[in-house]
């Protein structure tokens, strides 16, 4: 169970990153609400810290679900008949644009929309903009990180309860080593914020068991 003192969290966040604007604050609050209701996808504080760091980076520090940017022509590289399009399972003309990235951790490509939608019981293929709804974007991101939807790498491999977190290598969960150090630095700060704001026993929430 994870519960956080929101005032302490806000104060610590501002010290580490500066005060968020109203949109980012609203997005961050929504994400924290989801995390507190969703213990199953977060084994320990380290996982949450890395999740928040990833959300922050992938959304351009807005904590709002976003759409991959670019004109329609930009997404031609994802269309059927291209190497990327084949890898993404795009089969119909226009799939590159239709199934462009959306969310906190952007789901991209017809095959991924189909996979994630099936697991969530949603028609993401028929209505890909559902991935922009905060609750849906959160489920895709949190379960995807835990269950290895994105690259096959899972949170548990990098954040065991009995060992130190590997924030740097954890980037493999999402996108190889792209900006791995930037996100690792954010995660370390997030961990400090969460530990300070944690309303449950800090050691237990971090997965550390004290000797009797």
């Amino acid at each position: 169970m994870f519960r956080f003192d929101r005032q302490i969290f806000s104060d610590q966040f501002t010290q580490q990153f500066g005060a968020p604007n109203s949109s980012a604050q609203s997005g961050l609050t929504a994400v924290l609400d989801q995390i507190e209701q969703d213990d199953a996808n977060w084994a320990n504080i380290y996982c949450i810290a890395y999740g928040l760091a990833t959300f922050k980076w992938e959304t351009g520090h807005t904590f709002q679900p976003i759409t991959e940017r670019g004109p329609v022509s930009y997404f031609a590289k994802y269309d059927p008949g291209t190497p990327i399009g084949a890898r993404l399972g795009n089969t119909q003309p226009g799939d590159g644009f239709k199934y462009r990235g959306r969310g906190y951790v952007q789901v991209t490509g017809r095959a991924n929309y189909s996979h994630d939608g099936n697991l969530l019981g949603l028609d993401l293929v028929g209505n890909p903009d559902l991935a922009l709804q905060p609750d849906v974007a959160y489920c895709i991101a949190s379960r995807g990180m835990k269950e290895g939807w994105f690259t096959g790498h899972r949170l548990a491999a990098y954040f065991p309860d009995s060992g130190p977190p590997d924030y740097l290598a954890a980037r493999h969960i999402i996108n190889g080593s792209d900006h791995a150090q930037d996100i690792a630095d954010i995660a370390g700060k997030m961990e400090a914020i969460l530990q300070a704001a944690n309303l449950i026993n800090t050691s237990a929430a971090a997965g550390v068991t004290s000797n009797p």
Side-chain angles (χ1 to χ4, degrees):
M1 175 179 285
F2 300 101
R3 299 292 181 269
F4 303 103
D5 183 307
R6 298 304 178 87
Q7 188 60 58
I8 293 175
F9 185 97
S10 179
D11 291 344
Q12 293 287 320
F13 186 95
T14 297
Q15 287 182 30
Q16 294 282 5
F17 301 112
N21 62 29
S22 59
S23 178
Q25 181 61 64
S26 174
L28 182 55
T29 297
V31 168
L32 286 172
D33 288 345
Q34 292 274 9
I35 288 170
E36 289 188 341
Q37 297 166 22
D38 183 34
D39 291 339
N41 283 326
W42 308 104
N44 51 49
I45 287 285
Y46 311 130
C47 290
I48 297 174
Y50 195 75
L52 287 173
T54 298
F55 289 11
K56 187 176 191 297
W57 185 267
E58 294 288 335
T59 65
H61 312 283
T62 68
F63 291 100
Q64 297 285 351
I66 62 171
T67 302
E68 187 176 1
R69 295 172 182 164
V72 174
S73 59
Y74 171 81
F75 297 96
K77 65 182 182 181
Y78 298 155
D79 277 341
T82 66
I84 299 176
R87 189 169 71 247
L88 293 173
N90 290 333
T91 60
Q92 303 298 318
D95 274 2
F97 179 74
K98 183 175 182 179
Y99 299 113
R100 63 197 184 278
R102 294 175 177 85
Y104 292 123
V105 177
Q106 295 182 29
V107 56
T108 306
R110 176 184 283 269
N112 291 319
Y113 277 85
S114 177
H115 170 271
D116 296 3
N118 286 339
L119 290 175
L120 296 176
L122 298 171
D123 182 15
L124 293 180
V125 172
N127 188 1
D129 280 338
L130 286 174
L132 290 171
Q133 294 183 3
D135 57 338
V136 176
Y138 173 82
C139 286
I140 291 171
S142 62
R143 285 190 58 186
M145 295 178 77
K146 180 187 178 185
E147 299 174 18
W149 293 3
F150 306 115
T151 64
H153 292 262
R154 303 180 181 212
L155 282 168
Y158 303 96
F159 307 113
D161 288 344
S162 59
D166 191 348
Y167 291 131
L168 187 62
R171 183 58 175 161
H172 290 292
I173 297 168
I174 305 296
N175 192 7
S177 59
D178 178 64
H179 290 286
Q181 188 62 62
D182 294 316
I183 299 165
D185 291 344
I186 295 170
K189 294 177 180 179
M190 286 292 188
E191 180 191 335
I193 294 167
L194 291 166
Q195 295 285 19
N198 188 17
L199 291 172
I200 312 301
N201 179 272
T202 301
S203 295
V208 178
T209 303
S210 300
N211 293 325

